[in-house]
Amino acid sequence: MKIEDVQSTSKKQRVASHTHIKGLGLKEDGCAVEVGGGFVGQERAREAAGLVVDLIRSKRMAGRALLLAGAPGTGKTALALGIAQELGSKVPFCPMVGSEVFSSEVKKTEVLMEHLRRAIGLRIREKKEVYEGEVVELAPEETESVSGGYGKAISHVVIGLKTVKGTKQLKLDPSIYDALLKEKVSVGDVIYIEANSGAVKRVGRSDAFASEFDLEAEEYVPVPKGDVHKRKEIVQDVTLHDLDAANAQPQGGQDIMSMMGALLRHKKTEITDKLRQEINKVVNKYIDEGIAELIPGVLFVDEVHMLDIECFTFLNRALESQLAPIVIFATNRGICPIRGTDVLSPHGIPVDLLDRLVIITTLPYTPDEMLKIIAIRAQVEGLTIDEQCLALLGEIAERTSLRHAVQLLTPSSIVAKANGRSNLTKDDIDAVSLLFLDSKASARMLQEHSDKYVSQ
């Protein structure tokens, strides 16, 4: 006899570096809570980020840029993700790293332009005429085939749709009958048909056919209210890059040369500036007519010092464009050369671009704040940790770095489980810290044993 445990179907979320960030942790008046939204400390930076969120929501910050500057491990990426959480899923948030622009297939400026377009949303409101209801009659009408012979062809199909308000009989094109067959529509199903395109969508089975003895795993839906024929407003969210990509793919012919060309074509193709200008014209026309609404999103460029002088020159022009998102840069560099030149500049960014930026600085964490962050991470990872263990991790964070201390949590939990315990103790942390070195200890070892390593 085989007995198996039933696995839970609940979704298990992977714990990542910033899983604990749920927002900026601000009060209604815009003041930062000491511990809130997964953040600890950095009150001034969070309050400044809160103002940026308000500017983005009011659509007064399009084409502006923000720089998050601070030492490594002070929460710059977390701050950008906090802004994304505050804005919600409807506002496009496009993250990238500075080194992503260096591709052998596509130009640097093309990669930047693609990400800029991904960060601009367009909400299209479209009014559609639809027929919806429960199918009460479905009768295809046949005629003699035009090609001759004994075959029959469908001339039209008669369908009866019923709603709570009444019933209507429709005479449909034979192409719609093919769509009905594809959707496997039968009498008793609730469907809707778009009047313009003839698209058919089966919503489900009418709840009038539901019974306690029915063993079919069918979705039962109520009979629609109102008239059979009605107007519906359909809202669709797309980005400008979606429109670019949809229009950039050439519709080749059916001949051998076209098919061979499609096979040999590179997967990544550049979208021309002319095409983008045409799409911008159409978008502006839709906005003027009130069909579409522009939603400037956020482009987050981490490690911005990795961009070179060409990219910075391109960004200067791109930020002045009418259709430009809010750009957030992040860097941990001080005075360093601008990539591609010998010129030294703050954060490795040209001075003319720095003039355009609003700069938010992140400060190093205090020992108390480090303890609170470690406690939050332990809670997110589902670990039980005592005060003594937390104090030891705080000392390690102060001596080495906060990131190193946080990274010791999961290996310590594995050691604790191997020893038959569910909670972490000081001995587990000690055992793991002997196994894994931090960057400072590794550098010290390299200096002490420099003659043992190949240095050139």
Side-chain angles (χ1 to χ4, degrees), residues 75-327:
K76 297 180 293 297
T77 308
L79 206 60
L81 292 171
I83 291 171
Q85 293 277 8
E86 291 285 342
L87 290 169
S89 58
K90 294 289 181 188
V91 177
F93 182 83
C94 181
M96 69 173 285
V97 184
S99 53
E100 277 183 48
V101 300
F102 302 103
S103 164
S104 59
E105 290 182 335
V106 184
K107 288 186 297 191
K108 292 174 280 192
T109 52
E110 174 63 25
V111 175
L112 276 174
M113 192 53 155
E114 185 181 306
H115 281 84
L116 283 163
R117 305 275 287 184
R118 277 183 202 275
I120 304 167
L122 196 69
R123 186 165 292 156
I124 302 165
R125 287 185 170 84
E126 197 178 357
K127 284 185 178 174
K128 287 187 177 178
E129 284 188 37
V130 295
Y131 293 92
E132 69 173 345
E134 180 196 327
V135 180
V136 289
E137 181 191 355
L138 185 61
E141 295 287 329
E142 294 180 336
T143 56
E144 295 294 329
S145 177
V146 181
S147 58
Y150 299 102
K152 297 274 185 180
I154 305 288
S155 62
H156 61 271
V157 60
V158 175
I159 191 168
L161 294 178
K162 183 180 84 173
T163 62
V164 173
K165 205 169 181 182
T167 309
K168 200 168 225 178
Q169 200 174 45
L170 306 172
K171 186 178 175 182
L172 305 175
D173 194 73
S175 61
I176 298 177
Y177 182 62
D178 294 337
L180 289 167
L181 291 174
K182 275 184 188 174
E183 286 283 315
K184 296 179 182 174
V185 173
S186 60
V187 174
D189 290 345
V190 175
I191 64 165
Y192 78 82
I193 304 165
E194 284 184 20
N196 299 337
S197 63
V200 176
K201 178 80 172 72
R202 183 180 181 275
V203 182
R205 193 90 175 134
S206 170
D207 58 3
F209 288 81
S211 70
E212 56 185 317
F213 306 112
D214 197 348
L215 299 175
E216 287 182 21
E218 184 71 79
E219 188 184 348
Y220 292 99
V221 291
V223 176
K225 295 174 183 177
D227 293 317
V228 172
H229 181 227
K230 58 188 77 166
R231 286 175 178 269
K232 268 193 174 183
E233 188 179 67
I234 294 164
V235 180
Q236 196 176 2
D237 287 314
V238 293
T239 65
L240 291 187
H241 175 70
D242 295 337
L243 298 176
D244 293 345
N247 288 285
Q249 291 170 357
Q251 305 296 319
Q254 295 299 312
D255 59 318
I256 296 293
M257 290 305 290
S258 296
M259 290 170 79
M260 286 298 290
L263 288 170
L264 297 170
R265 198 179 296 121
H266 289 295
K267 287 181 183 177
K268 190 89 175 165
T269 53
E270 286 191 23
I271 296 159
T272 61
D273 202 38
K274 188 181 177 184
L275 176 68
R276 287 200 173 107
Q277 284 173 5
E278 290 297 319
I279 287 167
N280 288 354
K281 279 181 191 173
V282 175
V283 166
N284 287 326
K285 184 186 165 194
Y286 280 172
I287 292 164
D288 293 342
E289 289 173 1
I291 297 168
E293 177 192 359
L294 197 72
I295 303 163
V298 177
L299 170 62
F300 174 53
V301 185
D302 209 352
E303 311 292 344
V304 70
H305 53 266
M306 290 299 294
L307 299 180
D308 62 10
I309 191 72
E310 292 171 33
C311 297
F312 288 127
T313 310
F314 174 79
L315 282 169
N316 264 328
R317 185 183 72 87
L319 286 171
E320 291 175 351
S321 169
Q322 274 189 325
L323 298 174
I326 296 91
V327 183

Side-chain angles (χ1 to χ4, degrees), residues 17-33:
S17 304
H18 298 103
T19 304
H20 60 287
I21 302 296
K22 305 296 179 194
L24 289 170
L26 302 173
K27 297 178 192 170
E28 286 186 14
D29 59 355
C31 295
V33 185

